Amino acid sequence: MQRVGLIGYPVAHSLSPAFQQAAFDALRLPVRYELWPTPPEALAARIAALRHPTFLGANVTVPHKVAALSYVDVASARAQRAGAVNTIVRQEDGRLFGENTDVPGFLASLYEVGIEPADVRVAVLGAGGAARGVLVALAEAGCRSVVVANRTLARAQALTSELGGQAVPLDERLADVLMSTDLLVNATSVGWDGASAPLDLTLLAALPTHATVYDLTYRDTLLLQAARSRGLRAIDGLGMLVHQGAASFRLWTGQEPPLAVMWAAAKAARDARG
Ligand code: NAP
């Protein structure tokens, strides 16, 4: 039995074990997906242990994605651009390869719902790690235009000066931007409580009627509810989660991930969690 797992702190809430194990089982691969809660002081040793042949690799989540970059032996150009590793693959020679599958995972989730990123004007809320991954993805895909709105404007400015796009404050001045936005992405950490929203929801009235609102939070949020009540298309973050996991699976196993199985298991695990 080979092992792969999730490195983070905490990790107990994660949906990854449910849909990754379902994928390994569907392909009859003798692999166990485990949860590896890892406090910061234990991260270096946890990653170093992956060199043992029993391990295929790992996923890495909050708060270790940035630090993991410095503990792998080689990181992809994409992981370096994103400044973060969410997937570690043990290579045959025992060296550890770091990749960022959040980036293609985000793009795959757009393609899956028929959005071609090269054709859309995007507004991203937030300037943290997730927003950075989204910006790297949009740049890879040749997105038409990107505006980053963040509570702390300086962080949005730093991000856009490095990765392209325009920085604006996250307040009522966003209305002008939203008038010419096709895709609004919430990449802030606001919304998990089901009671708060990253922006004044009346601002959604500025979006064109064909616009899509995409919340990286993988549950229904006030933002998505408000978008739907305006007749806008609303997408939650489960697709990105499943697709980043599918890309990780492909790297660990060299096999095509069973996407339908992963989707079904992820939805069931989310529903069970409530
Ligand atoms: P992060 O690095 O901590 O960044 C948090 C962002 O949220 C910052 O831009 C911060 O603004 C903003 N923010 C926090 N509190 C706010 C408030 N009260 N009002 C307005 N803005 C606020 O977090 P992250 O790693 O980027 O993660 C962001 C979200 O993306 C999380 O909910 C995470 O679960 C989700 N995510 C989903 C996926 C997926 O697969 N679906 C993948 C990755 C991440 P300041 O700069 O002003 O502090």
Side-chain angles (χ1 to χ4, degrees):
M1 180 70 75
Q2 286 201 285
R3 299 166 67 195
V4 60
L6 176 64
I7 299 171
Y9 200 65
V11 289
H13 62 281
S14 173
L15 302 178
S16 292
F19 70 80
Q20 292 289 6
Q21 194 61 57
F24 289 123
D25 294 349
L27 298 194
R28 298 184 187 283
L29 297 172
V31 181
R32 196 170 59 224
Y33 192 98
E34 302 174 348
L35 286 176
W36 297 329
T38 306
E41 63 275 14
L43 181 63
R46 172 73 72 187
I47 292 178
L50 297 173
R51 293 196 172 83
H52 190 277
T54 188
F55 295 107
L56 288 181
N59 278 137
V60 183
T61 188
V62 178
H64 298 319
K65 289 187 193 183
V66 174
L69 188 58
S70 54
Y71 292 123
V72 293
D73 300 311
V74 53
S76 73
R78 176 185 278 153
Q80 289 174 37
R81 269 198 308 280
V85 159
N86 81 326
T87 303
I88 300 174
V89 184
R90 183 189 173 281
Q91 297 176 316
E92 277 185 13
D93 60 5
R95 297 199 323 149
L96 301 179
F97 172 70
E99 179 57 288
N100 187 308
T101 67
D102 283 334
V103 170
F106 175 69
L107 292 177
S109 72
L110 291 182
Y111 296 132
E112 188 172 52
V113 297
I115 295 175
E116 170 53 63
D119 295 342
V120 291
R121 299 161 297 177
V122 185
V124 179
L125 309 181
R132 189 181 176 86
V134 166
L135 253 65
V136 169
L138 292 172
E140 266 187 29
C143 167
R144 253 178 92 184
S145 69
V146 187
V147 175
V148 177
N150 197 45
R151 178 179 62 177
T152 309
L153 180 59
R155 285 186 86 190
Q157 288 167 330
L159 201 59
T160 52
S161 66
E162 186 186 341
L163 294 170
Q166 181 199 343
V168 299
L170 181 42
D171 60 22
E172 66 286 348
R173 284 169 280 182
L174 199 52
D176 284 346
V177 171
L178 295 181
M179 285 166 65
S180 51
T181 290
D182 307 304
L183 174 65
L184 173 65
V185 180
N186 175 32
T188 73
S189 46
V190 184
W192 281 102
D193 59 3
S196 54
L199 80 173
D200 174 355
L201 293 173
T202 62
L203 286 170
L204 295 185
L207 284 166
T209 52
H210 69 264
T212 298
V213 176
Y214 186 156
D215 198 328
L216 297 194
T217 311
Y218 33 87
R219 57 163 291 176
D220 202 26
T221 60
L222 276 189
L223 174 64
L224 294 178
Q225 288 161 17
R228 279 196 300 272
S229 69
R230 266 214 67 222
L232 302 170
R233 180 158 64 162
I235 303 171
D236 69 48
L238 198 63
M240 177 173 172
L241 185 74
V242 167
H243 282 284
Q244 63 77 31
S248 302
F249 183 95
R250 194 180 287 115
L251 289 170
W252 295 321
T253 65
Q255 301 209 32
E256 231 3 73
L259 255 185
V261 169
M262 296 174 95
W263 257 115
K267 280 184 180 153
R270 178 176 65 176
D271 292 349
R273 203 175 60 178

